[in-house]
Amino acid sequence: KFPTKKAEDIMKNVFLTHLLDSKYNSDTCKNLTTQITETVKTQVKAELGNNNRFKVVVLVMIGANFGQGARVASRCLWYPQYDRFAQYEYHNESLFAVGIVYGVYYE
């Protein structure tokens, strides 16, 4: 089974490590998004081990926080018996970040 809680904890730790007290800048956030995505993906795959049956997909979005609302939505084909996802949100006075990890079972 996909470790949803562990994936959430991984995202929380990575977000806090990279984003704590960060200020929004479109140039640096572009690179930061890629770094965070790769770090989360690597750590979740390590948690799953080598003999797992999950394709891991990670999405991270970072934007400027001007007090506005934001909604993030996604759709995909889903096998509810096996497929899972985890999400984490972070915000400070300058930026917001949303991360989603999908664990999609494959045979």
Side-chain angles (χ1 to χ4, degrees), residues 40-98:
V40 169
K41 185 176 179 180
T42 301
Q43 290 184 16
V44 169
K45 282 185 170 186
E47 182 66 30
L48 287 169
N50 291 331
N51 296 326
N52 73 77
R53 306 287 299 191
F54 288 97
K55 170 79 172 168
V56 176
V57 179
V58 180
L59 301 173
V60 174
M61 293 149 272
I62 300 175
N65 186 3
F66 296 120
Q68 79 280 20
R71 284 186 195 241
V72 176
S74 63
R75 295 179 73 176
C76 58
L77 294 174
W78 204 249
Y79 190 34
Q81 186 175 357
Y82 298 109
D83 298 342
R84 298 285 183 265
F85 74 96
Q87 64 184 6
Y88 183 74
E89 301 170 22
Y90 173 83
H91 59 87
N92 62 25
E93 63 280 342
S94 178
L95 60 81
F96 70 89
V98 178

Side-chain angles (χ1 to χ4, degrees), residues 23-40:
K23 301 289 184 206
Y24 180 78
N25 178 301
S26 61
D27 294 328
T28 57
C29 284
K30 181 171 51 171
N31 296 330
L32 202 52
T33 302
T34 304
Q35 275 183 334
I36 291 171
T37 301
E38 289 301 319
T39 303
V40 169

